Amino acid sequence: MRVTICLLLGIAWCQPGLADEGKTAPIRASVGVTAAKSTHGPRVYVKLAHDLDRALQTRSPLETAETAGFRVRDGRIQVVVEAAVGATDRVATWLEGEDAQNVLTASSLVQADVLPPTLISLEYLDEVRSVRRPAYGVPPPEPAPRRATHRTKALTELTSEGVEAMNAPSWHAAGVRGDGLKVGVIDMQYEGWDSLLGSELPPAAKVHYRTFTGESVVGVHGTACAEVIHDLVPDAELYLAEVDTVVEASNAIDWLMENDVRILSMSMNFISGAPGDGTGPMADALDSYAAWGGVAVTGAGNARLQHWQGSFTDSGIDRWHDFASGDLVNYLTPDGSSLVQLMADTSLTLSLFWNEWDNPVTDLDLCLIGDFGGDSVEVIDCAEDYQDGREGQIPQEVLTATTPQDGYYGFAVWRAGGTASPQFEVFVFQGPGIPMFNVEEGSVPIPADTQSVIAAAALDAVSYQLESYSSKGPTNGPNGSLSGGRIKPDLSGYANVSTASYGPRAPDEYSFNGTSAACPHVAGAAALVSSGHPHWDNSQIRSYLQSQAIDRGPGGKDNDYGHGRLVLGSPPAASCSYSISPTARSIGSGGGSGSVSVSAGSGCSWTARSNNSWISVTGGASGTGAGMVNYSVGANSGGARTGTLTIAEHTFTVSQTGGGSGGDGDHVYLVAGVAHAAGRLGSQWRSNLCVTNASESTAHLTMVYRHGSGTVSEVYSLGPNRSKEWTDVAGSLFGMSGASAGSVEVSSDVPVLVTARTYNQSTSGTFGQYLPGADAGQALASGQLGVLPQIKNTADFRTNVGFVNLGSSSCTMRVRLYSASGLQLGSAVTRSADPGEWSQINDVYDEAGAGSSNLGMATVEVVSGDGPIWAYASVVDNTSNDPTTVPVFVR
């Protein structure tokens, strides 16, 4: 068993020269530990984490901080600053003025490499809530020593065994290979990626690499992930982002969205920084990516055997937690029972967090304990941040320490303040990893807890057996509680596979393993499905993968395998493509009927089916080539409802008003750019929706919100000469709890005025732009040219261009940029949208490769489909994120 663990984790006790391997009884250290622990030492800086405070009190703050687990370079310590609400940009600007380097922002966090004197100044800034260690990624395993030669050889034609296991070759044979698709990989290490271009990776023109860390890190983990993706979608374009922290990963996701990368593989877990309930900065970034339309896959984690959770119990009233009666130390073991001495200079990283994320008032400390025989039990080091209810504190302790001598080591938890007995958990993220008292349940680390991502468990690629380290759900419940969570993982991918970076699979050897390997297999499968069904959205891709999975374990989705083993069904016919028109309809409460046209090549077969009992397919349930589907909608005496038909692999959406209370759709208005999401440069976009009824009759309204994950409908009756405004409409009217963006369709039985205000929210107020509810009378049709004047791209301003499709079929818009002197700048940029959908080109000058421009204009035209569309430009101040609307002028 010890050899197995060594191979999996590369742990320190695999080295020779260790003594006393036969000891099996837990060491009871209650007296020794209690005597050794002291209370908090004197603190100088309240806002700084304990390890930063301690470093600044030494003669060598850089060396002390590095020993504590901080990245140190160029005489600076990398930290993350939590800014007050709305103060993120101000803190970032201030840090840049103080000679900080590598300044990045994400939500309320500012990450930077900071000089030690600047840390002291941060303590006194009102805009700063706290300063602490960044949430670093969990270090991935290195290849075994025998594989070192593989990285110097030209290994080609190495294909992951997971490709065959999931039936991907049949999709390749059908011509589905990812052509025209972009896939992103976010990881910590990309050593040797450029040496594999044109062999194990795509040619140079189809691989884009960017580091967000400020420096490259030695290691091949991300390179191997990219190899697996290339095995599955060999014709796809790859975007490789190197990161090491939550803030860097959030910025990498923004980069992927800016480049229209729709599939993301992220074989990373982070050393906490969030409650584990699907919330927090990393979850926010991934939720925004999903709302935008991306499919994100992450590893479920390798922490099944490196985890403990439970409620704080102090049976001895000595302020130490009892892992079992009388056992205050949770010793680190190779197998969960027998003890083995760890060698001196073994590096360990552990994380403790508990269920007080709204306001931590219980103060827990995490301590490394050394047992050197007899009564020699010592507290080696403790993570001792304060938690007493002050602003900016989080219920977490992260401890990085090095063993001072050979001995037995474990961890203990001390209650330094407060009287509650919170629920808490401990992860051993680096070092010899199986606690004597281990709890497998709830061992899913962030960001695998995020609801919008697909978390991948690890199966052996040949035996299909679950790997012993693969993390087990559920997620935590609200606020980090150990109940009320969701089932995770979601799917089981493949581990122990061949790659050039880790070497070929061989008997009794592991090659590329972990949920790190499982993740790119699931992401690559999602990319194949997207390639074969290019009109499917993220929810359709996810549903397909889950429905095709082979169930394992107890029936249905479970906390070991998720939906089961990843497989792909039969490939779609490569020569057939389909489209439908229209793709949606709003209908009154009395019901009715309609038809949808299907476009398909000769010999291409398709089917149509209803997904709701109140919608019936009355004609054209199947066909070959072009055809027509007829449907009917029953009367509705209840509330508003939304249903769908699946026609030729596309979704047709029906939104129906409630019994007598909704609009009949005689007057329809579309509002673009409705959002509740984070944007660039720390912006927080929100939208208010207003409807004004200036008539003498009551307006019966049906409002449909089309966002990246689907549609939501609500109805409202508005009396004559009345107005109604919904503040932050995505949540207040449509009940959206996370990030989302899209368009709102308002239908009414009498004419109304529909307006919206989309704005950047900050503590100093809001900066917003007016957007009208557009109808066909304001629109740009095929064959007409629209002009957007007074746009620019400078250090102070950026320009976005968006449009909403007012027509009944899909259409594509083309934008060209011109300088003030009439010269075309960069290349033309196109965007497509289905009926009723909104699409926006963020930073259009960058997208077009147009460079800077102090003043210019853009032309807009419909180049495919009939339209009509309503278009606009949004000129955004880069300092305040104040947007100005420029409506289209039809020429």
Side-chain angles (χ1 to χ4, degrees), residues 166 459 490-494 522 542-552 556-557 561-569:
M166 72 169 74
L459 303 179
D490 300 291
L491 285 169
S492 296
Y494 300 101
V522 177
R542 183 168 182 160
S543 294
Y544 178 85
L545 291 175
Q546 293 172 351
S547 68
Q548 295 296 315
I550 297 175
D551 190 29
R552 295 182 65 86
K557 187 179 182 182
Y561 302 91
H563 287 276
R565 179 168 73 87
L566 172 70
V567 294
L568 292 165

PDB file of all heavy atoms in Angstrom, residues 166 459 490-494 522 542-552 556-557 561-569:
ATOM      1  N   MET A 166     -13.928   6.399 -24.707  1.00  0.00           N
ATOM      2  CA  MET A 166     -15.150   7.199 -24.812  1.00  0.00           C
ATOM      3  C   MET A 166     -15.772   7.173 -26.201  1.00  0.00           C
ATOM      4  O   MET A 166     -16.748   7.875 -26.455  1.00  0.00           O
ATOM      5  CB  MET A 166     -14.876   8.650 -24.388  1.00  0.00           C
ATOM      6  CG  MET A 166     -14.060   9.442 -25.385  1.00  0.00           C
ATOM      7  SD  MET A 166     -14.038  11.220 -25.011  1.00  0.00           S
ATOM      8  CE  MET A 166     -12.950  11.240 -23.597  1.00  0.00           C
ATOM      9  N   LEU A 459     -11.409   7.851 -13.305  1.00  0.00           N
ATOM     10  CA  LEU A 459     -11.450   6.397 -13.469  1.00  0.00           C
ATOM     11  C   LEU A 459     -10.179   5.949 -14.177  1.00  0.00           C
ATOM     12  O   LEU A 459      -9.641   6.676 -15.023  1.00  0.00           O
ATOM     13  CB  LEU A 459     -12.646   5.966 -14.318  1.00  0.00           C
ATOM     14  CG  LEU A 459     -14.052   6.356 -13.900  1.00  0.00           C
ATOM     15  CD1 LEU A 459     -15.047   5.828 -14.923  1.00  0.00           C
ATOM     16  CD2 LEU A 459     -14.381   5.822 -12.529  1.00  0.00           C
ATOM     17  N   ASP A 490     -19.689  15.494 -11.367  1.00  0.00           N
ATOM     18  CA  ASP A 490     -20.745  15.423 -12.370  1.00  0.00           C
ATOM     19  C   ASP A 490     -20.551  14.288 -13.372  1.00  0.00           C
ATOM     20  O   ASP A 490     -21.518  13.658 -13.794  1.00  0.00           O
ATOM     21  CB  ASP A 490     -20.828  16.759 -13.126  1.00  0.00           C
ATOM     22  CG  ASP A 490     -21.133  17.910 -12.181  1.00  0.00           C
ATOM     23  OD1 ASP A 490     -22.242  17.956 -11.663  1.00  0.00           O
ATOM     24  OD2 ASP A 490     -20.235  18.749 -11.962  1.00  0.00           O
ATOM     25  N   LEU A 491     -19.331  14.026 -13.771  1.00  0.00           N
ATOM     26  CA  LEU A 491     -19.010  12.950 -14.717  1.00  0.00           C
ATOM     27  C   LEU A 491     -17.669  12.339 -14.325  1.00  0.00           C
ATOM     28  O   LEU A 491     -16.872  12.957 -13.614  1.00  0.00           O
ATOM     29  CB  LEU A 491     -18.914  13.487 -16.149  1.00  0.00           C
ATOM     30  CG  LEU A 491     -20.211  13.838 -16.868  1.00  0.00           C
ATOM     31  CD1 LEU A 491     -19.894  14.593 -18.161  1.00  0.00           C
ATOM     32  CD2 LEU A 491     -21.017  12.592 -17.183  1.00  0.00           C
ATOM     33  N   SER A 492     -17.412  11.129 -14.802  1.00  0.00           N
ATOM     34  CA  SER A 492     -16.145  10.454 -14.531  1.00  0.00           C
ATOM     35  C   SER A 492     -15.336  10.343 -15.810  1.00  0.00           C
ATOM     36  O   SER A 492     -15.774   9.727 -16.789  1.00  0.00           O
ATOM     37  CB  SER A 492     -16.400   9.055 -13.957  1.00  0.00           C
ATOM     38  OG  SER A 492     -17.047   9.125 -12.703  1.00  0.00           O
ATOM     39  N   GLY A 493     -14.155  10.962 -15.807  1.00  0.00           N
ATOM     40  CA  GLY A 493     -13.247  10.898 -16.941  1.00  0.00           C
ATOM     41  C   GLY A 493     -12.145   9.880 -16.698  1.00  0.00           C
ATOM     42  O   GLY A 493     -12.233   9.033 -15.797  1.00  0.00           O
ATOM     43  N   TYR A 494     -11.050   9.988 -17.437  1.00  0.00           N
ATOM     44  CA  TYR A 494     -10.048   8.924 -17.487  1.00  0.00           C
ATOM     45  C   TYR A 494      -8.691   9.399 -16.985  1.00  0.00           C
ATOM     46  O   TYR A 494      -8.245  10.502 -17.288  1.00  0.00           O
ATOM     47  CB  TYR A 494      -9.925   8.391 -18.917  1.00  0.00           C
ATOM     48  CG  TYR A 494     -11.240   7.833 -19.410  1.00  0.00           C
ATOM     49  CD1 TYR A 494     -12.059   8.577 -20.263  1.00  0.00           C
ATOM     50  CD2 TYR A 494     -11.685   6.597 -18.969  1.00  0.00           C
ATOM     51  CE1 TYR A 494     -13.278   8.076 -20.693  1.00  0.00           C
ATOM     52  CE2 TYR A 494     -12.908   6.091 -19.395  1.00  0.00           C
ATOM     53  CZ  TYR A 494     -13.706   6.834 -20.247  1.00  0.00           C
ATOM     54  OH  TYR A 494     -14.917   6.349 -20.646  1.00  0.00           O
ATOM     55  N   VAL A 522     -13.060  15.089 -20.298  1.00  0.00           N
ATOM     56  CA  VAL A 522     -14.447  15.569 -20.301  1.00  0.00           C
ATOM     57  C   VAL A 522     -14.552  16.844 -21.129  1.00  0.00           C
ATOM     58  O   VAL A 522     -15.493  17.026 -21.920  1.00  0.00           O
ATOM     59  CB  VAL A 522     -14.950  15.791 -18.868  1.00  0.00           C
ATOM     60  CG1 VAL A 522     -16.373  16.355 -18.886  1.00  0.00           C
ATOM     61  CG2 VAL A 522     -14.924  14.484 -18.077  1.00  0.00           C
ATOM     62  N   ARG A 542     -23.995  19.920 -22.022  1.00  0.00           N
ATOM     63  CA  ARG A 542     -23.895  19.265 -20.720  1.00  0.00           C
ATOM     64  C   ARG A 542     -24.934  18.152 -20.583  1.00  0.00           C
ATOM     65  O   ARG A 542     -24.624  17.051 -20.121  1.00  0.00           O
ATOM     66  CB  ARG A 542     -24.057  20.314 -19.619  1.00  0.00           C
ATOM     67  CG  ARG A 542     -23.905  19.772 -18.214  1.00  0.00           C
ATOM     68  CD  ARG A 542     -23.798  20.893 -17.216  1.00  0.00           C
ATOM     69  NE  ARG A 542     -23.599  20.412 -15.868  1.00  0.00           N
ATOM     70  CZ  ARG A 542     -23.102  21.133 -14.881  1.00  0.00           C
ATOM     71  NH1 ARG A 542     -22.742  22.384 -15.106  1.00  0.00           N
ATOM     72  NH2 ARG A 542     -22.945  20.628 -13.675  1.00  0.00           N
ATOM     73  N   SER A 543     -26.154  18.429 -20.998  1.00  0.00           N
ATOM     74  CA  SER A 543     -27.215  17.424 -20.899  1.00  0.00           C
ATOM     75  C   SER A 543     -26.889  16.196 -21.744  1.00  0.00           C
ATOM     76  O   SER A 543     -27.133  15.061 -21.333  1.00  0.00           O
ATOM     77  CB  SER A 543     -28.553  18.029 -21.341  1.00  0.00           C
ATOM     78  OG  SER A 543     -28.963  19.043 -20.456  1.00  0.00           O
ATOM     79  N   TYR A 544     -26.325  16.431 -22.935  1.00  0.00           N
ATOM     80  CA  TYR A 544     -25.977  15.304 -23.796  1.00  0.00           C
ATOM     81  C   TYR A 544     -24.923  14.417 -23.126  1.00  0.00           C
ATOM     82  O   TYR A 544     -25.055  13.183 -23.097  1.00  0.00           O
ATOM     83  CB  TYR A 544     -25.466  15.807 -25.137  1.00  0.00           C
ATOM     84  CG  TYR A 544     -25.039  14.687 -26.058  1.00  0.00           C
ATOM     85  CD1 TYR A 544     -25.961  14.030 -26.855  1.00  0.00           C
ATOM     86  CD2 TYR A 544     -23.702  14.272 -26.105  1.00  0.00           C
ATOM     87  CE1 TYR A 544     -25.577  12.985 -27.696  1.00  0.00           C
ATOM     88  CE2 TYR A 544     -23.305  13.235 -26.935  1.00  0.00           C
ATOM     89  CZ  TYR A 544     -24.243  12.595 -27.726  1.00  0.00           C
ATOM     90  OH  TYR A 544     -23.849  11.556 -28.525  1.00  0.00           O
ATOM     91  N   LEU A 545     -23.870  15.015 -22.600  1.00  0.00           N
ATOM     92  CA  LEU A 545     -22.812  14.228 -21.962  1.00  0.00           C
ATOM     93  C   LEU A 545     -23.355  13.439 -20.782  1.00  0.00           C
ATOM     94  O   LEU A 545     -22.993  12.272 -20.573  1.00  0.00           O
ATOM     95  CB  LEU A 545     -21.681  15.153 -21.509  1.00  0.00           C
ATOM     96  CG  LEU A 545     -20.848  15.810 -22.614  1.00  0.00           C
ATOM     97  CD1 LEU A 545     -19.854  16.789 -22.006  1.00  0.00           C
ATOM     98  CD2 LEU A 545     -20.118  14.765 -23.452  1.00  0.00           C
ATOM     99  N   GLN A 546     -24.218  14.062 -20.001  1.00  0.00           N
ATOM    100  CA  GLN A 546     -24.773  13.377 -18.839  1.00  0.00           C
ATOM    101  C   GLN A 546     -25.697  12.234 -19.257  1.00  0.00           C
ATOM    102  O   GLN A 546     -25.695  11.162 -18.638  1.00  0.00           O
ATOM    103  CB  GLN A 546     -25.521  14.376 -17.962  1.00  0.00           C
ATOM    104  CG  GLN A 546     -24.601  15.399 -17.307  1.00  0.00           C
ATOM    105  CD  GLN A 546     -25.338  16.512 -16.592  1.00  0.00           C
ATOM    106  OE1 GLN A 546     -26.555  16.639 -16.695  1.00  0.00           O
ATOM    107  NE2 GLN A 546     -24.612  17.332 -15.859  1.00  0.00           N
ATOM    108  N   SER A 547     -26.468  12.443 -20.313  1.00  0.00           N
ATOM    109  CA  SER A 547     -27.403  11.409 -20.748  1.00  0.00           C
ATOM    110  C   SER A 547     -26.689  10.213 -21.366  1.00  0.00           C
ATOM    111  O   SER A 547     -27.203   9.092 -21.327  1.00  0.00           O
ATOM    112  CB  SER A 547     -28.397  11.995 -21.761  1.00  0.00           C
ATOM    113  OG  SER A 547     -27.751  12.345 -22.976  1.00  0.00           O
ATOM    114  N   GLN A 548     -25.498  10.427 -21.944  1.00  0.00           N
ATOM    115  CA  GLN A 548     -24.762   9.334 -22.567  1.00  0.00           C
ATOM    116  C   GLN A 548     -23.896   8.559 -21.581  1.00  0.00           C
ATOM    117  O   GLN A 548     -23.447   7.454 -21.889  1.00  0.00           O
ATOM    118  CB  GLN A 548     -23.864   9.899 -23.680  1.00  0.00           C
ATOM    119  CG  GLN A 548     -24.616  10.515 -24.844  1.00  0.00           C
ATOM    120  CD  GLN A 548     -25.457   9.508 -25.592  1.00  0.00           C
ATOM    121  OE1 GLN A 548     -25.014   8.408 -25.894  1.00  0.00           O
ATOM    122  NE2 GLN A 548     -26.687   9.883 -25.905  1.00  0.00           N
ATOM    123  N   ALA A 549     -23.654   9.118 -20.395  1.00  0.00           N
ATOM    124  CA  ALA A 549     -22.753   8.499 -19.429  1.00  0.00           C
ATOM    125  C   ALA A 549     -23.276   7.126 -18.992  1.00  0.00           C
ATOM    126  O   ALA A 549     -24.482   6.912 -18.867  1.00  0.00           O
ATOM    127  CB  ALA A 549     -22.573   9.396 -18.213  1.00  0.00           C
ATOM    128  N   ILE A 550     -22.357   6.191 -18.758  1.00  0.00           N
ATOM    129  CA  ILE A 550     -22.706   4.850 -18.268  1.00  0.00           C
ATOM    130  C   ILE A 550     -22.716   4.896 -16.751  1.00  0.00           C
ATOM    131  O   ILE A 550     -21.682   5.145 -16.113  1.00  0.00           O
ATOM    132  CB  ILE A 550     -21.716   3.808 -18.780  1.00  0.00           C
ATOM    133  CG1 ILE A 550     -21.771   3.729 -20.312  1.00  0.00           C
ATOM    134  CG2 ILE A 550     -21.996   2.440 -18.169  1.00  0.00           C
ATOM    135  CD1 ILE A 550     -20.745   2.804 -20.919  1.00  0.00           C
ATOM    136  N   ASP A 551     -23.874   4.657 -16.172  1.00  0.00           N
ATOM    137  CA  ASP A 551     -24.050   4.782 -14.726  1.00  0.00           C
ATOM    138  C   ASP A 551     -23.156   3.788 -13.989  1.00  0.00           C
ATOM    139  O   ASP A 551     -23.022   2.626 -14.384  1.00  0.00           O
ATOM    140  CB  ASP A 551     -25.512   4.551 -14.366  1.00  0.00           C
ATOM    141  CG  ASP A 551     -25.806   4.909 -12.913  1.00  0.00           C
ATOM    142  OD1 ASP A 551     -25.115   5.797 -12.375  1.00  0.00           O
ATOM    143  OD2 ASP A 551     -26.702   4.296 -12.319  1.00  0.00           O
ATOM    144  N   ARG A 552     -22.551   4.229 -12.908  1.00  0.00           N
ATOM    145  CA  ARG A 552     -21.750   3.373 -12.035  1.00  0.00           C
ATOM    146  C   ARG A 552     -22.125   3.684 -10.601  1.00  0.00           C
ATOM    147  O   ARG A 552     -22.622   4.764 -10.293  1.00  0.00           O
ATOM    148  CB  ARG A 552     -20.249   3.596 -12.257  1.00  0.00           C
ATOM    149  CG  ARG A 552     -19.782   3.183 -13.656  1.00  0.00           C
ATOM    150  CD  ARG A 552     -18.282   3.367 -13.819  1.00  0.00           C
ATOM    151  NE  ARG A 552     -17.503   2.489 -12.951  1.00  0.00           N
ATOM    152  CZ  ARG A 552     -17.167   1.240 -13.274  1.00  0.00           C
ATOM    153  NH1 ARG A 552     -17.559   0.722 -14.418  1.00  0.00           N
ATOM    154  NH2 ARG A 552     -16.437   0.514 -12.448  1.00  0.00           N
ATOM    155  N   GLY A 556     -28.355   6.379 -10.646  1.00  0.00           N
ATOM    156  CA  GLY A 556     -28.461   7.824 -10.744  1.00  0.00           C
ATOM    157  C   GLY A 556     -27.186   8.530 -10.348  1.00  0.00           C
ATOM    158  O   GLY A 556     -26.165   7.913 -10.024  1.00  0.00           O
ATOM    159  N   LYS A 557     -27.223   9.843 -10.384  1.00  0.00           N
ATOM    160  CA  LYS A 557     -26.053  10.644 -10.043  1.00  0.00           C
ATOM    161  C   LYS A 557     -25.693  10.445  -8.580  1.00  0.00           C
ATOM    162  O   LYS A 557     -26.561  10.449  -7.697  1.00  0.00           O
ATOM    163  CB  LYS A 557     -26.326  12.124 -10.319  1.00  0.00           C
ATOM    164  CG  LYS A 557     -25.101  13.021 -10.144  1.00  0.00           C
ATOM    165  CD  LYS A 557     -25.410  14.477 -10.464  1.00  0.00           C
ATOM    166  CE  LYS A 557     -24.162  15.340 -10.320  1.00  0.00           C
ATOM    167  NZ  LYS A 557     -24.417  16.770 -10.576  1.00  0.00           N
ATOM    168  N   TYR A 561     -19.181   8.987  -8.663  1.00  0.00           N
ATOM    169  CA  TYR A 561     -19.026   8.963 -10.110  1.00  0.00           C
ATOM    170  C   TYR A 561     -19.790  10.075 -10.819  1.00  0.00           C
ATOM    171  O   TYR A 561     -19.660  10.234 -12.024  1.00  0.00           O
ATOM    172  CB  TYR A 561     -19.537   7.630 -10.667  1.00  0.00           C
ATOM    173  CG  TYR A 561     -18.861   6.405 -10.119  1.00  0.00           C
ATOM    174  CD1 TYR A 561     -19.357   5.747  -8.991  1.00  0.00           C
ATOM    175  CD2 TYR A 561     -17.723   5.889 -10.732  1.00  0.00           C
ATOM    176  CE1 TYR A 561     -18.741   4.610  -8.499  1.00  0.00           C
ATOM    177  CE2 TYR A 561     -17.104   4.749 -10.244  1.00  0.00           C
ATOM    178  CZ  TYR A 561     -17.621   4.110  -9.115  1.00  0.00           C
ATOM    179  OH  TYR A 561     -17.003   2.989  -8.637  1.00  0.00           O
ATOM    180  N   GLY A 562     -20.622  10.834 -10.123  1.00  0.00           N
ATOM    181  CA  GLY A 562     -21.514  11.749 -10.793  1.00  0.00           C
ATOM    182  C   GLY A 562     -22.536  10.975 -11.597  1.00  0.00           C
ATOM    183  O   GLY A 562     -23.122  10.002 -11.111  1.00  0.00           O
ATOM    184  N   HIS A 563     -22.734  11.365 -12.854  1.00  0.00           N
ATOM    185  CA  HIS A 563     -23.667  10.653 -13.726  1.00  0.00           C
ATOM    186  C   HIS A 563     -23.074   9.359 -14.264  1.00  0.00           C
ATOM    187  O   HIS A 563     -23.805   8.555 -14.858  1.00  0.00           O
ATOM    188  CB  HIS A 563     -24.090  11.548 -14.895  1.00  0.00           C
ATOM    189  CG  HIS A 563     -25.026  12.639 -14.493  1.00  0.00           C
ATOM    190  ND1 HIS A 563     -26.378  12.470 -14.374  1.00  0.00           N
ATOM    191  CD2 HIS A 563     -24.793  13.936 -14.167  1.00  0.00           C
ATOM    192  CE1 HIS A 563     -26.953  13.600 -14.008  1.00  0.00           C
ATOM    193  NE2 HIS A 563     -26.017  14.515 -13.876  1.00  0.00           N
ATOM    194  N   GLY A 564     -21.781   9.142 -14.091  1.00  0.00           N
ATOM    195  CA  GLY A 564     -21.180   7.905 -14.543  1.00  0.00           C
ATOM    196  C   GLY A 564     -20.009   8.114 -15.477  1.00  0.00           C
ATOM    197  O   GLY A 564     -19.489   9.221 -15.635  1.00  0.00           O
ATOM    198  N   ARG A 565     -19.585   7.009 -16.124  1.00  0.00           N
ATOM    199  CA  ARG A 565     -18.404   6.998 -16.981  1.00  0.00           C
ATOM    200  C   ARG A 565     -18.665   7.726 -18.294  1.00  0.00           C
ATOM    201  O   ARG A 565     -19.662   7.477 -18.971  1.00  0.00           O
ATOM    202  CB  ARG A 565     -17.964   5.559 -17.270  1.00  0.00           C
ATOM    203  CG  ARG A 565     -16.751   5.459 -18.177  1.00  0.00           C
ATOM    204  CD  ARG A 565     -16.178   4.065 -18.217  1.00  0.00           C
ATOM    205  NE  ARG A 565     -16.982   3.125 -18.970  1.00  0.00           N
ATOM    206  CZ  ARG A 565     -16.884   2.924 -20.283  1.00  0.00           C
ATOM    207  NH1 ARG A 565     -16.037   3.654 -21.009  1.00  0.00           N
ATOM    208  NH2 ARG A 565     -17.629   2.014 -20.883  1.00  0.00           N
ATOM    209  N   LEU A 566     -17.743   8.585 -18.654  1.00  0.00           N
ATOM    210  CA  LEU A 566     -17.850   9.397 -19.858  1.00  0.00           C
ATOM    211  C   LEU A 566     -17.780   8.531 -21.112  1.00  0.00           C
ATOM    212  O   LEU A 566     -16.797   7.811 -21.330  1.00  0.00           O
ATOM    213  CB  LEU A 566     -16.710  10.425 -19.872  1.00  0.00           C
ATOM    214  CG  LEU A 566     -16.539  11.253 -21.136  1.00  0.00           C
ATOM    215  CD1 LEU A 566     -17.688  12.245 -21.290  1.00  0.00           C
ATOM    216  CD2 LEU A 566     -15.198  11.988 -21.100  1.00  0.00           C
ATOM    217  N   VAL A 567     -18.831   8.580 -21.924  1.00  0.00           N
ATOM    218  CA  VAL A 567     -18.816   7.976 -23.255  1.00  0.00           C
ATOM    219  C   VAL A 567     -19.547   8.904 -24.214  1.00  0.00           C
ATOM    220  O   VAL A 567     -20.354   9.734 -23.801  1.00  0.00           O
ATOM    221  CB  VAL A 567     -19.478   6.573 -23.291  1.00  0.00           C
ATOM    222  CG1 VAL A 567     -18.692   5.560 -22.490  1.00  0.00           C
ATOM    223  CG2 VAL A 567     -20.919   6.643 -22.801  1.00  0.00           C
ATOM    224  N   LEU A 568     -19.252   8.735 -25.500  1.00  0.00           N
ATOM    225  CA  LEU A 568     -19.946   9.494 -26.538  1.00  0.00           C
ATOM    226  C   LEU A 568     -20.809   8.534 -27.333  1.00  0.00           C
ATOM    227  O   LEU A 568     -20.365   7.429 -27.680  1.00  0.00           O
ATOM    228  CB  LEU A 568     -18.944  10.172 -27.469  1.00  0.00           C
ATOM    229  CG  LEU A 568     -18.116  11.297 -26.845  1.00  0.00           C
ATOM    230  CD1 LEU A 568     -16.931  11.631 -27.739  1.00  0.00           C
ATOM    231  CD2 LEU A 568     -18.975  12.526 -26.629  1.00  0.00           C
ATOM    232  N   GLY A 569     -22.024   8.932 -27.624  1.00  0.00           N
ATOM    233  CA  GLY A 569     -22.898   8.110 -28.443  1.00  0.00           C
ATOM    234  C   GLY A 569     -22.465   8.133 -29.894  1.00  0.00           C
ATOM    235  O   GLY A 569     -21.338   8.495 -30.231  1.00  0.00           O
TER     236      GLY A 569
END
